[in-house]
Amino acid sequence: MFNELSNKEVKAMKKIRTYLMEHGKTPSVRDLMREMGYKSPRSTAVIIGSLLEKGILVKKKNGTYMVSEFQLPKNLGNRAQTVKIPLLGSITCGLPIFAEENIEAEVSISVELLRNGERYFLLKAIGNSMDLAGINDGDLVLVRQSQTANDGDRVIALIDDEATIKLFKKNEKHVVLLPKSSEKKHQPIILMRDFRIQGIVESVIKI
């Protein structure tokens, strides 16, 4: 992909990918300006415009952009046997997690990690509330879309328009979302039905 790019465009793409992995979203023009050490956003805007024209970046409906192709390490599967899964960055309040405007990139994932006929998305984990369950700060989690869950599932739950990853426990009266953390500050969340399940974590990808 980089063969058709100038040196500045290659540098910009590397910065964009690094920023995406560290922050879970693509950088703004000014963010990229700072990452590349420029003093003016104009030069960065020109580079982004060129990458959009070449199809390396894709403009979204809300005016921001996403990376059209984002490859993970080769040990995740043969390229000929992969499908592109959306990597979702920041979440707009009031909207489901899986929404077009939330897509920051498309990641090639081995078909062996996926179930036939199911929809998936990726999220970047933030914090250590689930570190004892194998999910650490900065990990990517592969999520199968689902509005229901079984006891013990690692779920993506939407509470007051904020997403969280927790262990799902249910009884006749309420639901408990349990952290699995090495830090005691993370406590269970006890709910009735005032939340939504967005998906089940099926794989954790260490980057």
Side-chain angles (χ1 to χ4, degrees):
M1 179 180 70
F2 286 168
N3 292 340
E4 62 189 73
L5 304 182
S6 68
N7 290 336
K8 289 183 179 180
E9 290 168 345
V10 169
K11 180 181 177 181
M13 279 305 303
K14 289 179 178 178
K15 294 292 185 181
I16 289 170
R17 288 186 168 188
T18 299
Y19 190 96
L20 181 59
M21 296 310 302
E22 291 178 350
H23 300 275
K25 61 181 180 179
T26 51
S28 67
V29 171
R30 290 192 176 275
D31 289 332
L32 187 57
M33 176 193 75
R34 288 190 289 269
E35 292 293 322
M36 297 187 70
Y38 292 163
K39 295 183 179 179
S40 168
R42 177 173 174 78
S43 297
T44 308
V46 170
I47 292 173
I48 290 176
S50 178
L51 291 170
L52 287 167
E53 288 181 5
K54 293 178 178 180
I56 306 301
L57 301 178
V58 177
K59 199 165 189 177
K60 299 195 288 186
K61 291 182 179 179
N62 63 3
T64 61
Y65 64 90
M66 60 174 279
V67 182
S68 62
E69 184 176 357
F70 188 94
Q71 297 177 34
L72 290 174
K74 293 180 180 179
N75 60 5
L76 289 178
N78 188 295
R79 187 178 176 84
Q81 297 176 328
T82 63
V83 295
K84 291 180 181 179
I85 303 298
L87 173 62
L88 310 184
S90 57
I91 299 165
T92 305
C93 289
L95 291 177
I97 291 173
F98 191 83
E100 183 179 350
E101 56 264 48
N102 295 328
I103 297 174
E104 296 294 343
E106 290 181 321
V107 180
S108 296
I109 295 288
S110 169
V111 296
E112 295 180 4
L113 293 174
L114 312 175
R115 300 185 190 183
N116 289 334
E118 300 284 356
R119 296 187 70 187
Y120 289 84
F121 58 90
L122 289 153
L123 287 175
K124 182 176 181 289
I126 298 174
N128 63 352
S129 67
M130 291 290 285
D131 61 348
L132 296 183
I135 303 174
N136 294 295
D137 186 55
D139 288 346
L140 291 184
V141 291
L142 178 64
V143 182
R144 173 173 55 84
Q145 281 188 257
S146 177
Q147 296 181 345
T148 60
N150 298 316
D151 275 6
D153 283 342
R154 295 174 296 182
V155 301
I156 307 298
L158 197 62
I159 307 169
D160 297 329
D161 297 327
E162 293 188 4
T164 184
I165 305 174
K166 295 290 184 291
L167 285 182
F168 180 82
K169 292 289 183 180
K170 180 181 179 181
N171 60 35
E172 293 180 0
K173 295 184 178 180
H174 54 257
V175 168
V176 180
L177 299 178
L178 291 169
K180 294 287 287 184
S181 177
S182 56
E183 293 191 10
K184 293 183 179 180
K185 68 179 182 179
H186 299 290
Q187 296 297 315
I189 302 170
I190 301 172
L191 302 164
M192 298 301 289
R193 298 291 183 268
D194 50 344
F195 76 104
R196 285 182 288 170
I197 293 174
Q198 298 280 282
I200 310 297
V201 176
E202 293 206 340
S203 296
V204 181
I205 302 166
K206 307 291 183 180
I207 301 298

